[in-house]
Amino acid sequence: MDGLLTTLHAVDWLECAGLAAGLLCVWLLIRQNVWTWPVGIVYVCISLWVFLQAKLYADLGLHLVFLALNCYGWWFWLHGGSRSEDMVPVTTTDLRTLVVLVAVAMAAALASGAWFERHTDAALPYWDNTTTMLSLAAMWLSTRKKLENWILWFVVDVLATGIYFHKGLYFYTVLYLVYIGMAVMGWRAWRRAMESPAAVAA
């Protein structure tokens, strides 16, 4: 019993709450459920404190932007479709736009990584900023219901898993390992929904 109490005492319950909210948020996103956005806001608020304590400042800044994007996504999914549609449909991004988006994200990651390395005590500034900028690109595509968001999320999830493991954020490591699989599930589900709207989960 003493061992169990010691283990429970050592658990970071804030990280546990972040894990649960993050998983629920992505599960709802896969199902194209508009509740993904308010749940995402809860996840963001928890993550802000976790990343502040870990000195992952790029992730901290990222989640501040995520807060705004979750609000925008919530609005767009409710009001961004045509009057004849019950929900905003899944669509694809043209290749040129996708290439430009990724190129801008990588350039921003290099520039911000250099700034963080020089002016802060940030851990892993280049890796951290790479996931930050790619996540912003992926989040934007998610708010617009673009299928390719799942490709970027897959890349981000792989990189973030390594970063969080290195920093000892083990609950977030587990979370992002699961996210890798959920990104694959999301791609498949959204592609089916795009090809056959009737296949969209309720």
Side-chain angles (χ1 to χ4, degrees):
M1 177 63 71
D2 289 342
L4 176 60
L5 291 175
T6 300
T7 300
L8 290 173
H9 181 71
V11 169
D12 189 328
W13 291 105
L14 193 62
E15 285 190 33
C16 282
L19 185 150
L23 287 174
L24 179 58
C25 177
V26 178
W27 181 76
L28 291 169
L29 182 64
I30 291 172
R31 296 176 63 84
Q32 299 184 58
N33 189 312
V34 73
W35 280 97
T36 186
W37 303 112
V39 172
I41 290 171
V42 173
Y43 170 70
V44 166
C45 291
I46 294 170
S47 298
L48 287 173
W49 175 253
V50 171
F51 293 136
L52 178 63
Q53 297 304 302
K55 295 184 178 180
L56 290 173
Y57 301 130
D59 266 332
L60 182 68
L62 168 67
H63 281 71
L64 287 172
V65 180
F66 272 179
L67 187 59
L69 286 174
N70 271 279
C71 293
Y72 171 75
W74 195 355
W75 175 86
F76 185 81
W77 280 32
L78 287 174
H79 306 290
S82 68
R83 294 179 181 274
S84 62
E85 295 169 328
D86 292 331
M87 61 188 302
V88 176
V90 176
T91 57
T92 58
T93 308
D94 65 271
L95 182 60
R96 180 181 176 183
T97 299
L98 193 61
V99 168
V100 170
L101 187 64
V102 172
V104 169
M106 293 309 298
L110 289 173
S112 56
W115 190 92
F116 274 84
E117 183 178 47
R118 180 174 299 180
H119 298 289
T120 76
D121 60 345
L124 307 174
Y126 288 99
W127 288 107
D128 190 23
N129 278 278
T130 296
T131 58
T132 295
M133 298 306 170
L134 288 178
S135 293
L136 286 175
M139 187 69 171
W140 173 251
L141 292 174
S142 297
T143 66
R144 306 293 296 186
K145 272 201 176 179
K146 297 297 183 181
L147 178 65
E148 293 79 9
N149 86 89
W150 295 109
I151 298 174
L152 294 188
W153 282 128
F154 180 87
V155 174
V156 168
D157 296 340
V158 170
L159 294 176
T161 297
I163 291 172
Y164 297 143
F165 181 80
H166 177 77
K167 290 296 296 179
L169 299 173
Y170 299 120
F171 281 106
Y172 275 74
T173 300
V174 172
L175 177 62
Y176 276 78
L177 277 172
V178 175
Y179 279 171
I180 293 172
M182 296 183 83
V184 176
M185 292 171 56
W187 165 268
R188 292 175 175 173
W190 281 33
R191 186 173 60 180
R192 287 196 303 269
M194 185 179 65
E195 295 171 351
S196 176
V200 177

